[in-house]
Amino acid sequence: MSNMLLISILSFVSLMSHMFVQRNLFSPGVVHGIVWLLVSLGYVTFQGEFNAISPATLYALALGIGAFSVGLHVAARSNQMGSFRSDARTVRFPVPAMIVLVSAIGLGMMLSKVVESMAVGSFTSLVGGSSSWYSHLRGYVTTTLKGSFGIASYILNFSFAGTAYLILYYRGLHRTQWLWPSMALSLGFALLSTGRTFLLLLGCMILGSAIPTNGGRRVGSVWLLPVVVGLPLLLATWLSGRLDHVEGGTLLPRDASLQNALVLHAKLYFLSAVAAFDHLVNLGEPGTGGSNIFRTLLAVLRALGLPVEVPELIQPYVSIPFVTNTYTVFSPYYRDFGLYGVGFFMLLLGSLHGWIFRQLKSVIPIIMVANALLYYALIMQFFQDQYFSLMSQWIQILGWTYLFNKLQPLPSIAGQDRQ
């Protein structure tokens, strides 16, 4: 029997326990169980194409998944905060207009960098394949811009937070002319950034802001918003070069079927990180004492002039035999503190997920957005850590959400959802 089949059994038990206790298909425990059940079953299906998972890695995976599930169950018993109540409808500051204006300026700054990229190199088509403009832009952003558009990258976080705020604004007042322009600008940021994770993050933030919190139903076209993001997400994944990945050192042929391309994508993005984590565990390297988990803090200290070493965010590539540089969510915890780190931090993160989910009925804006960010990180657990590695981005998004609501308090939406 494959070792990963044991992880499938553990994931299924965790999934059913949360289904039985919380009776909510969208609870973090259910999503967590589904993610790891699919990953483990996928690995069992294609195990002949990957290196065998060692017992040490199996134990680390089981410990991380189990600790996260325990944390969720413990937090599910925590006390709920009171519902957010505010009937403030007087405009104190034109926040919606400011969100759209600043986002438009930021997107313009990003477009200027995009235009610069078109003057460098050559491409034969707008989209599709390694010689397309979009694939060229992706390479330009990664190599020349080092993944950053400068100030525009910070305005991206402002725009994402603004879109989430305007969805909550819509839910409270049932009207705003600024929501769709904000949506379009945020989508522009996500597409031009060329990272599929930005599209997934935006989609999670929209769903997290629009999802029912008290058994009520949504109003009007709010439910259409995730569709507006979901379709471009699928399109962008296809356009950014679905046949440009390496399988065993050779490119898929241009006439490869869609089925073969999708299977390759599943192996590369959905399963390879588990094999890479196994490679990491078997290296036997000494712990790094928290430098990976607290990288954001170290980067701030270095920016202040302190002589501290900050580890690279982009990890080295390994062949397992697919070439990848993602190592699942457990990687920084294992690198820093070994199995103790995996158990402790996954227990902590599970408790945080459970507590935030427990507080959703309060309909506090910052809680709603925090829940959306956590769901994004939860969905990405099979791929890489998005909890601590993106701490700077999370702080920016939550900070903007808090500021927007301070400048123009959102009306209560606790009773609006039933209309």
Side-chain angles (χ1 to χ4, degrees):
M1 182 176 67
S2 169
N3 284 346
M4 285 299 290
L5 195 57
L6 297 176
I7 300 299
S8 301
I9 296 172
L10 174 62
S11 301
F12 180 75
V13 171
S14 173
L15 166 64
M16 296 308 296
S17 70
H18 290 286
M19 281 283 292
F20 178 78
V21 172
Q22 296 183 320
R23 302 182 183 277
N24 187 329
L25 289 174
F26 300 102
S27 71
V30 172
V31 175
H32 178 254
I34 290 175
V35 166
W36 284 105
L37 180 61
L38 291 176
V39 170
S40 57
L41 288 177
Y43 205 95
V44 170
T45 302
F46 297 103
Q47 59 185 326
E49 300 181 45
F50 293 94
N51 299 330
I53 296 296
S54 68
T57 303
L58 180 71
Y59 183 69
L61 292 172
L63 178 62
I65 294 170
F68 189 89
S69 182
V70 170
L72 284 168
H73 278 299
V74 171
R77 301 177 179 273
S78 61
N79 295 328
Q80 289 184 354
M81 295 186 295
S83 295
F84 170 65
R85 297 289 180 182
S86 173
D87 294 320
R89 293 174 181 267
T90 303
V91 175
R92 299 183 183 179
F93 191 87
V95 170
M98 178 190 70
I99 289 171
V100 172
L101 176 61
V102 174
S103 297
I105 293 173
L107 188 60
M109 297 169 64
M110 183 174 283
L111 280 169
S112 69
K113 296 289 186 180
V114 172
V115 172
E116 289 179 11
S117 75
M118 298 177 69
V120 182
S122 60
F123 42 89
T124 59
S125 62
L126 183 64
V127 293
S130 59
S131 59
S132 69
W133 165 78
Y134 195 75
S135 180
H136 168 70
L137 175 61
R138 183 177 177 85
Y140 184 82
V141 171
T142 303
T143 57
T144 304
L145 300 182
K146 306 300 182 183
S148 174
F149 282 90
I151 296 176
S153 294
Y154 293 97
I155 300 180
L156 177 149
N157 297 323
F158 174 96
S159 179
F160 281 16
T163 294
Y165 169 87
L166 287 174
I167 293 174
L168 296 173
Y169 188 97
Y170 179 97
R171 287 176 59 178
L173 295 178
H174 303 294
R175 55 182 172 83
T176 176
Q177 61 184 350
W178 301 105
L179 175 56
W180 289 101
S182 176
M183 229 349 252
L185 290 167
S186 292
L187 187 55
F189 274 110
L191 286 169
L192 292 182
S193 297
T194 71
R196 298 161 187 144
T197 53
F198 284 113
L199 284 159
L200 181 59
L201 171 60
L202 179 58
C204 286
M205 291 187 66
I206 290 172
L207 280 170
S209 301
I211 199 168
T213 55
N214 54 11
R217 58 184 176 85
R218 239 5 0 90
V219 209
S221 59
V222 170
W223 279 113
L224 296 178
L225 296 178
V227 176
V228 175
V229 173
L231 292 179
L233 171 61
L234 295 176
L235 181 63
T237 301
W238 174 272
L239 296 181
S240 56
R242 69 179 179 87
L243 301 181
D244 297 335
H245 299 288
V246 177
E247 181 179 18
T250 60
L251 290 172
L252 273 174
R254 288 230 170 251
D255 59 351
S257 67
L258 174 60
Q259 179 181 353
N260 289 340
L262 292 176
V263 170
L264 175 60
H265 261 60
K267 295 173 186 175
L268 285 170
Y269 291 107
F270 205 58
L271 305 176
S272 291
V274 173
F277 179 64
D278 177 68
H279 173 83
L280 171 65
V281 170
N282 292 317
L283 284 178
E285 295 180 341
T288 49
S291 62
N292 290 282
I293 297 172
F294 303 110
R295 181 186 180 279
T296 298
L297 177 60
L298 293 175
V300 171
L301 293 176
R302 186 172 66 177
L304 293 175
L306 296 179
V308 295
E309 184 177 348
V310 181
E312 291 292 332
L313 188 60
I314 299 178
Q315 298 298 313
Y317 283 88
V318 294
S319 177
I320 43 81
F322 295 92
V323 178
T324 184
N325 67 337
T326 58
Y327 298 80
T328 77
V329 66
F330 310 115
S331 168
Y333 319 132
Y334 189 86
R335 290 179 190 273
D336 284 350
F337 302 109
L339 291 175
Y340 293 105
V342 172
F344 175 79
F345 283 100
M346 292 307 292
L347 178 67
L348 180 66
L349 291 172
S351 300
L352 178 62
H353 267 278
W355 185 84
I356 291 291
F357 188 76
R358 180 77 167 161
Q359 310 310 318
L360 283 184
K361 290 185 179 180
S362 65
V363 204
I364 296 174
I366 199 169
I367 291 290
M368 302 282 288
V369 175
N371 183 64
L373 297 177
L374 285 173
Y375 265 83
Y376 164 74
L378 173 61
I379 293 171
M380 294 293 289
Q381 280 192 8
F382 71 91
F383 193 64
Q384 61 186 3
D385 170 67
Q386 299 284 40
Y387 294 100
F388 288 92
S389 62
L390 294 182
M391 187 61 65
S392 175
Q393 186 174 23
W394 296 164
I395 292 173
Q396 291 177 56
I397 291 175
L398 293 176
W400 286 123
T401 303
Y402 178 82
L403 179 61
F404 295 154
N405 193 53
K406 275 296 182 181
L407 293 174
Q408 186 172 342
L410 291 169
S412 173
I413 60 177
Q416 302 287 350
D417 287 346
R418 296 191 179 90
Q419 297 182 12

